[in-house]
Structures are given as C-alpha cells and as structure tokens.
Amino acid sequence: MDQSNALHTLPAQPRDFGFFIDGRWEEAGPRAIFERTSPAHDRVVTRITRCTREDVDRAVGVARAAFEDGRWSRLSGAERAAVLLRAAAGIRGRLHELALLETLETGKPIGQSLGEVEGGAGIYEYAAGAARALHGDAFNNLGDRMFGLVTREPIGVVGLITPWNFPFFILSERVPFILAAGCTIVAKPSEVTSATTLLMAEILAEAGLPDGVFNVVTGSGAEIGQALTEHPDIDMVSFTGSTAVGRKALLASAGNFKKLGLELGGKNPQIVFADANLEDAADGVVFGLCFNAGQCCVSGSRLVVEKSVAAQFEALVADRIARLRIGDPLDPRTQMGAIVTEAQNRTILGYIEAGGREGARLVCGGGALASETGRYIRPTVFGDVTRDMTIFREEIFGPVLTISTFETLDEAIEIANDTVYGLAASIWTTNLETSTQAFRRVRAGRVWVNTTIAGGPELPIGGFKQSGTGRETGIYGVEEYTQVKTVHIALGRREPWVA
Ligand code: NDP
C-alpha cells in the first residue's frame, strides 16, 4: 500500500472556509454557509461562505487599487517570476492536502487529483518563464525621422470564473498567466468545488504575492458569477463552463465592453480509420470517454469509426470498459470516480434514457452503478446513432459514447464537423497523408493524432465555433491578458503645420 494512503482518508469533520480578500482570510460572519457533500461518500466535507454582492464590490475595489498602484503590474518580469516559482514550490509542499480536498469535493480518483495538482505546479513554473519572455515589438523601418514601438501592457483587473470538473487544474491554466502578464484577479470558483481555489490564495500570499493581487469570493454562479461578469470595474472576464452561461457572460460584459475569454462546451469526435492500431485506439477512446467520468470539456464523446472495422472496434471498446476500476475515489486503484452532483447525475441518466427512446442500440452500460454511498454511472456506449439524435448533438458531460460509421475521409470529416462545438478532436490512423488531411479539415481548437487529452502549458488551448473565444496557456495565453499599445516617436525637429 502506498504510504501516502494514510493522508487520503475521509475526514471526521468538515473543513470551514472563509474567503480571501486583500491578502487575508475573511470570516463568514453572518453570511449564509453552503455545505458541500462528498459526491462519493454523502458526507459534508467543506463549508463554504456565501459571499454577498458587497463582498464582490469590495474584492473588485481591492484588486483595482492593487492594479493601479503598480505593486504588481509595474514589477519586472523577473520579480513576478520569482513569486510564481515560490508558488509552484508552495503547491508541491501542500500536494496531499490539495489533492484530498479536490477528490472530496469533485469525486475524482485521488491518483488523478495528485497528478492534476502536480501538473498545476508545473504550469506555474512554465508561466514564470513566460513572465520574463513577454515582450512587444519595435519598428525600425519607418525612416530616419520616426521610430515605432508596440508595447504589451496588462489588461487590468480580471474576473476569473472556473467550473467544478477540474477546479485546481483549470485555475492553474489561468492564474499564473494572468499574473505573469501583471494583472490582478478576483476569482470565483464553482460553489461546489471552492476549497482548492481558496487554498491557492493562501499559497500565493505565502509566496510573496502582494496583498490584493489575488482575491477569492465564493457563492453561487447566478449571484456572485453574474456580479463579476456585470461589474463595471472589471476589465476582462475569463469564463470556463457551459455554452449557455458563456452566452450570459457575453451579454453581461456589454455594460463596459469588457474583454472575454470563454472556454465552453464540446462534443468531440474520435475519428478511427481502419488502418489505425485498433488496440491503441480503443484504449484511447475508453480513456477519452471515462477520464473524469466523462465530465470533461474535451471528452471524446462521439466515436466516428470506419465501417469496415466498426464491429471489431466496438467489441474492443466494450471489452476495455468492462475491465475499468470504478468506485471510491479515495482508493488509489480507482480509475473512474463519482458524478459531481445529483443534478449532473440526473442530466446524464436523462441522456442515457433519451438514447434508448430515440432508437440507439445499447452496446454496454445503460445506467447507474449500484453503490452503498455516492452516485456512479456505468460507462455507456450506443451504436446505430443517427445525427439527428439528442445524444449525438448535445454535450452530455458524462461517460456516454455515440458510435457513427463512415466509408470515406470526406464522410468522416463531415460527421466530425457536424456540431455547433469545436473544442477538440482525435484522429487515429497510421497513414501520414490521412492524419494530415484530417487534422487540417477538422474544425476544432485542439487536435490529437494517435492520442487524446494530451496537454501541457507550452501549447495554447481554446475552442472554435460555440466552444469559445480566446486562448489560455502558452505564450498566447499570457498575451491574452495584455493589451497592445502603439507608440510613434518622432525624431528631429517637427515640420511645421501652421505656416
Ligand atoms: P455552469 O456553466 O453553470 O458553471 C460554470 C461556472 O460558471 C461555475 O463557476 C458557476 O458557478 C458559474 N456560473 C453559473 N451561472 C453563472 C452566471 N449567471 N454568471 C456567471 N457565472 C455563472 O456549468 P454547470 O455547472 O451548470 O454545468 C452544466 C454543463 O456545463 C455541464 O453539463 C457541461 O455541459 C458544461 N460545463 C462545461 C465545462 C467546461 O469545462 N467547458 C465545465 C463545467 C460545465 P456555480 O457552479 O457556483 O453555480
């Protein structure tokens, strides 16, 4: 047994959290409290403050003051990098505490949480370099009497709204880049998964981030999230979540024309050609379906497989699903954990019912997995899916796979692109020509060839079509939180305009 198992047990008492403004914890005081129940154990694990709109105003005011006085925005890249590197060390130092809270609130396997927290630390390290690499441009081609500069400046106060599926990892894909750019932040995590964002505020403060640069307000999306998207003193909102709420954020941002970064839903194809290594592809498809119990914006939820191998491939997928270890997320051997909330559970089960009702053929799964506590869903695969079916068209955000077949590359691309979304796509083939044609023509912001859900901070992420706007991570991700200023510098005496 792994020695760290002792660190990953269900705590006897829930942990109380205040919220974090201006470098210090604030107590809940008279505010309402939200009790978060572990989706796997039906036990209250955290108690989260329901902040008020006044708290939002105060946090934004503090972030504005911190931005304007230059305590962070005017530091050198090297000074910002030093804080980000200390924050990465701080994350690693609290790895087990963060991972346990993440698992308790999300229901995801502890091994996965540990990986996501470690991965998050690595993103801070990458972004530290980006803080120093960020630069503008010079124009030395304007003739003897003129010189041109383009500078990049931090955009200002950023409102950061994050979802419940990867609370710490998605936060880590954004915060260090926003900080590297020199901005200040008011973050609002999903109410059901607030703990690790709150702990991150403490870690950043201990790393030497000046007071007021990173603030966290907690509470519901409808109230606190909406207040951030509407706020006239926020310059940019980075929102990750559903396309429906992304649309609301877009409307709310109109008040002060704030910039928006949106990472929204997906209905991502897994295109499998007959010449692929089918064993590898089947493993990848099952991973893409079941990772995070399918509650993943880049989940590969539509299998588009060449007809000549479809029956064989379906059997390979079903065989692997049967061998998955589903259960208590605190067990280090678990591969797929619990469904995050009862509402999400009902949504997924509703889609499974719709699949049967609309005439799709059930290959495996088909409903809930019996358990003493918590809620689990059996990975479900539907064959004979037509493109008008609800399960083909809508994002389910659960472990439900549809199978469509094709006979030509053109047909494969047409089926893959037949969606309002454009977040991600995977292509499985051993033919270079086929993979190149396919990755060029598929309309998605992230494409994987002979793998799926691969990532890292070096490359940017974001969506085409209704999957979003803007890019996070990589150099593109830092630049997203800057605005460009153009400077013309005249040299020598001025040609008089007035005679
Ligand atoms: P939401 O879009 O409602 O939640 C995402 C974030 O937005 C949360 O922090 C939420 O807060 C907040 N929020 C909710 N309403 C508003 C609002 N009016 N203004 C500003 N912020 C708001 O997603 P759900 O949790 O309802 O999940 C529904 C579906 O969304 C899923 O089934 C899935 O399809 C998709 N989704 C996609 C994600 C992605 O990574 N692209 C992530 C999560 C969901 P709170 O949770 O506290 O209400």
Side-chain angles (χ1 to χ4, degrees), residues 220-405:
S220 79
E223 187 170 4
I224 302 303
Q226 186 74 27
L228 283 179
T229 56
E230 286 171 0
H231 208 289
D233 216 16
I234 286 185
D235 302 296
M236 174 168 174
V237 162
S238 167
F239 171 84
T240 307
S242 62
T243 295
V245 177
R247 193 167 284 116
K248 282 189 193 173
L250 188 67
L251 295 173
S253 69
N256 66 336
F257 292 95
K258 59 173 68 67
K259 184 175 175 183
L260 269 187
L262 298 174
E263 194 184 323
L264 309 173
K267 190 73 182 172
N268 313 295
Q270 293 271 10
I271 311 172
V272 179
F273 291 90
D275 64 21
N277 181 320
L278 295 183
E279 299 274 339
D280 283 1
D283 190 77
V285 165
V286 173
F287 173 70
L289 172 70
C290 299
F291 178 61
N292 216 44
Q295 304 165 116
C296 194
C297 54
V298 291
S299 170
S301 52
R302 286 187 301 143
L303 171 61
V304 184
V305 56
E306 195 160 343
K307 204 168 198 167
S308 59
V309 295
Q312 181 192 354
F313 194 73
E314 183 182 299
L316 290 174
V317 167
D319 170 63
R320 276 163 182 74
I321 287 177
R323 288 188 275 136
L324 273 183
R325 295 187 301 270
I326 306 171
D328 185 349
L330 289 174
D331 181 337
R333 292 164 304 177
T334 293
Q335 291 173 287
M336 192 177 122
I339 301 299
V340 70
T341 56
E342 189 42 43
Q344 189 64 19
N345 198 46
R346 276 197 305 272
T347 302
I348 301 168
L349 292 173
Y351 278 113
I352 293 174
E353 271 171 39
R357 207 171 47 242
E358 293 180 8
R361 171 176 55 86
L362 186 67
V363 175
C364 64
L369 188 74
S371 62
E372 275 173 29
T373 62
R375 45 186 171 260
Y376 299 85
I377 287 182
R378 294 160 66 203
T380 298
V381 178
F382 283 110
D384 302 334
V385 173
T386 55
R387 288 200 250 163
D388 55 342
M389 287 183 187
T390 313
I391 52 170
F392 181 91
R393 307 219 69 80
E394 296 184 13
E395 184 183 44
I396 297 174
F397 232 61
V400 182
L401 183 72
T402 64
I403 304 181
S404 314
T405 59

Side-chain angles (χ1 to χ4, degrees), residues 410-471:
D410 283 349
E411 201 188 349
I413 298 298
E414 201 208 312
I415 297 170
N417 286 342
D418 186 8
T419 169
V420 297
Y421 296 110
L423 197 58
S426 303
I427 297 157
W428 300 85
T429 173
T430 49
N431 184 307
L432 181 64
E433 169 82 17
T434 307
S435 67
T436 308
Q437 293 290 359
F439 84 64
R440 276 182 170 173
R441 290 170 57 188
V442 74
R443 304 261 300 134
R446 299 174 76 179
V447 182
W448 294 291
V449 177
N450 292 329
T451 186
T452 199
I453 321 190
E458 295 85 358
L459 276 67
I461 56 176
F464 283 21
K465 301 199 274 183
Q466 291 187 33
S467 290
T469 58
R471 292 294 178 271

